[in-house]
Amino acid sequence: MRVLVVEDEDVLADAIAEWLRREAFAVDVAYDGDAALERLGVNAYTVVVLDRDLPVVHGDDVCRAIVDSGGETRVLMLTAAAAVRERVAGLALGADDYLVKPFALVELAARVHALTRRARPAAPPTLHRAGIVLDPARREAHRDGRHLSLTRKEFAVLAELLRADGAVVSAEELLEQVWDEHIDPFTNVVRVTVMKLRRKLGDPPVVETVPGAGYRIR
């Protein structure tokens, strides 16, 4: 799943992005509100981690734009203001959650995980199919009781295939949801990652290639 971090403090923005990447999210970063709106106009994000006090375009205006778009993007708003009225005002704008600075990165990641479950209908915290059990919050995966040692991208691809519940997921969709905006759209990284994932899942094979369409877990 893809996350946009919008924070004008460079060090904090980069720290949040790196932490979320460790959680197998694809993460883009914007350092002001104008850059955030540009990325939102191009990419589909599951969650936006949004600092409220942004330069150029205020975080409130970015939040309004996300809500007015009518999509399923969830907003986790960050602020240095701890007053209840400030939190209420942020939520009234349409933010889905609110986190006061300073915060623990582990808590921020937990909140992002919770918002991703709300962004899609009826997605359970733990995903099951074909003997595979995947827990996104704990970043653990097993097949028939055997622990799977997966890279971040392998884990994220497996999660997307499991969430599809047997439906075909195209390579383009996997590229959009698992990799960030810097990836070359003509790369074969999806095919290579799926190949390595198949090897780790073992026999009998469960990830099927649907010619001209994509991949699915039978």
Side-chain angles (χ1 to χ4, degrees):
M1 289 167 287
R2 197 158 180 174
V3 176
L4 176 63
V5 175
V6 191
E7 168 61 61
D8 65 318
E9 296 180 35
D10 295 11
V11 173
L12 178 57
D14 294 343
I16 293 171
E18 180 56 29
W19 191 278
L20 292 177
R21 288 179 183 125
R22 293 176 186 171
E23 299 282 322
F25 290 106
V27 184
D28 297 334
V29 180
Y31 301 104
D32 62 62
D34 187 53
L37 291 175
E38 287 184 8
R39 284 168 173 78
L40 286 161
V42 174
N43 303 312
Y45 294 100
T46 308
V47 176
V48 176
V49 179
L50 177 66
D51 182 37
R52 190 172 184 189
D53 189 17
L54 288 172
V56 187
V57 177
H58 196 273
D60 288 358
D61 296 321
V62 176
C63 186
R64 289 190 188 96
I66 294 170
V67 173
D68 291 345
S69 71
E72 295 182 345
T73 301
R74 301 297 181 179
V75 177
L76 170 58
M77 189 168 278
L78 309 178
T79 182
V84 172
R85 66 177 179 276
E86 294 292 336
R87 297 199 299 271
V88 170
L91 294 170
L93 289 168
D96 298 278
D97 199 359
Y98 211 89
L99 194 56
V100 177
K101 300 176 181 178
F103 50 80
L105 289 171
V106 65
E107 180 183 3
L108 181 142
R111 289 172 182 258
V112 171
H113 277 294
L115 289 176
T116 62
R117 292 196 292 270
R118 291 168 55 186
R120 299 182 179 191
T126 303
L127 304 170
H128 305 257
R129 191 173 184 86
I132 301 167
V133 179
L134 184 143
D135 187 334
R138 290 186 175 87
R139 205 185 170 282
E140 294 179 352
H142 297 80
R143 183 179 184 189
D144 297 329
R146 174 175 57 88
H147 178 262
L148 300 172
S149 180
L150 305 177
T151 66
R152 297 178 197 173
K153 296 306 183 186
E154 291 163 358
F155 187 93
V157 167
L158 181 58
E160 291 299 320
L161 293 175
L162 289 171
R163 287 190 183 95
D165 198 25
V168 175
V169 183
S170 70
E172 290 77 13
E173 289 172 316
L174 289 173
L175 205 61
E176 172 73 22
Q177 293 299 322
V178 177
W179 282 267
D180 63 27
E181 63 185 349
H182 302 295
I183 193 70
D184 179 356
F186 301 104
T187 181
N188 67 347
V189 68
V190 172
R191 181 179 61 81
V192 172
T193 302
V194 170
M195 178 183 67
K196 292 179 178 179
L197 177 61
R198 282 184 173 129
R199 189 179 304 141
K200 292 183 178 181
L201 288 170
D203 294 323
V206 290
V207 179
E208 177 185 5
T209 298
V210 181
Y215 308 92
R216 66 183 173 198
I217 293 182
R218 292 175 289 185

